Amino acid sequence: MLRKFRSWFDRTTPDELQFEPRTITVRNKEYLLRRMTEADVDAALAIERRIYHDTPWDRYAFFSELRKVRHSLYLAVEDAGQMVALIGTWFTMSEAHVTNIAVDPAYQHMGLGRFLMQFMIGRAIEYGSEKVTLEVRTNNDIAKRLYHSLGFQDGKVKKGYYVSNHDDALDMYRPLP
């Protein structure tokens, strides 16, 4: 097993997780999709506060994740120079784990969340992942519907998973071809 991990670890180089900014079109509207940077942390925290009214992630968590460029990819969506959505994913030997996805409330229901999830599922397939996983608040029915529509299945419930308010989380996973 260790040999298999080392083999995977050695093939996953920073070059493989590089990302070039690009213009995307979602529902006939153009946005900039680019790699998230440390300069985006305040905007990311503001989006999370507008969504959750608390911040599941703190500044340190974002900085820590953004520095793991060899095995993670954090992307930001911009509209007119303002960050309006983000997604972060860890890539391990056999799975891609979506650590964070957030769309500013003013931009929800416009297809950005679906686009970002489909984009990361595509990356997971490219990197040879066997499945994509994530956690979602058990009371977040809108997000669960999105994930189910993308082929995710329900896993176990993690009681009190979200520290800030002790909400439960549902593990979800999607096997990949």
Side-chain angles (χ1 to χ4, degrees), residues 27-45:
R27 295 193 184 161
N28 298 317
K29 181 166 176 49
E30 287 190 350
Y31 301 92
L32 175 64
L33 180 65
R34 60 172 178 76
R35 189 172 205 115
M36 196 172 151
T37 68
E38 291 181 3
D40 296 315
V41 170
D42 287 337
L45 291 170

Side-chain angles (χ1 to χ4, degrees), residues 32-148:
L32 175 64
L33 180 65
R34 60 172 178 76
R35 189 172 205 115
M36 196 172 151
T37 68
E38 291 181 3
D40 296 315
V41 170
D42 287 337
L45 291 170
I47 290 171
E48 284 204 343
R49 277 192 292 276
R50 286 192 290 276
I51 296 168
Y52 304 115
H53 309 292
D54 60 0
T55 307
W57 278 35
D58 62 18
R59 181 176 308 284
Y60 171 78
F62 272 112
F63 282 124
S64 175
E65 291 305 312
L66 290 172
R67 292 177 181 143
K68 296 176 185 173
V69 296
R70 186 171 175 146
H71 302 291
S72 67
L73 182 60
Y74 281 75
L75 301 177
V77 176
E78 274 187 20
D79 183 25
Q82 175 186 347
M83 189 166 94
V84 299
L86 64 106
I87 189 167
T89 305
W90 294 335
F91 295 92
T92 65
M93 187 167 45
S94 61
E95 92 180 48
H97 180 74
V98 177
T99 59
N100 200 326
I101 181 169
V103 178
D104 191 282
Y107 287 82
Q108 291 180 0
H109 310 291
M110 297 172 72
L112 289 173
R114 177 176 297 280
F115 174 88
L116 289 171
M117 287 298 299
Q118 289 173 324
F119 186 87
M120 283 302 192
I121 290 167
R123 279 290 167 111
I125 292 168
E126 285 176 30
Y127 296 153
S129 299
E130 297 170 12
K131 65 182 174 179
V132 179
T133 62
L134 56 81
E135 292 95 14
V136 61
R137 291 174 196 257
T138 54
N139 62 359
N140 191 341
D141 294 330
I142 293 171
K144 290 190 299 187
R145 272 194 302 275
L146 170 64
Y147 303 144
H148 284 136

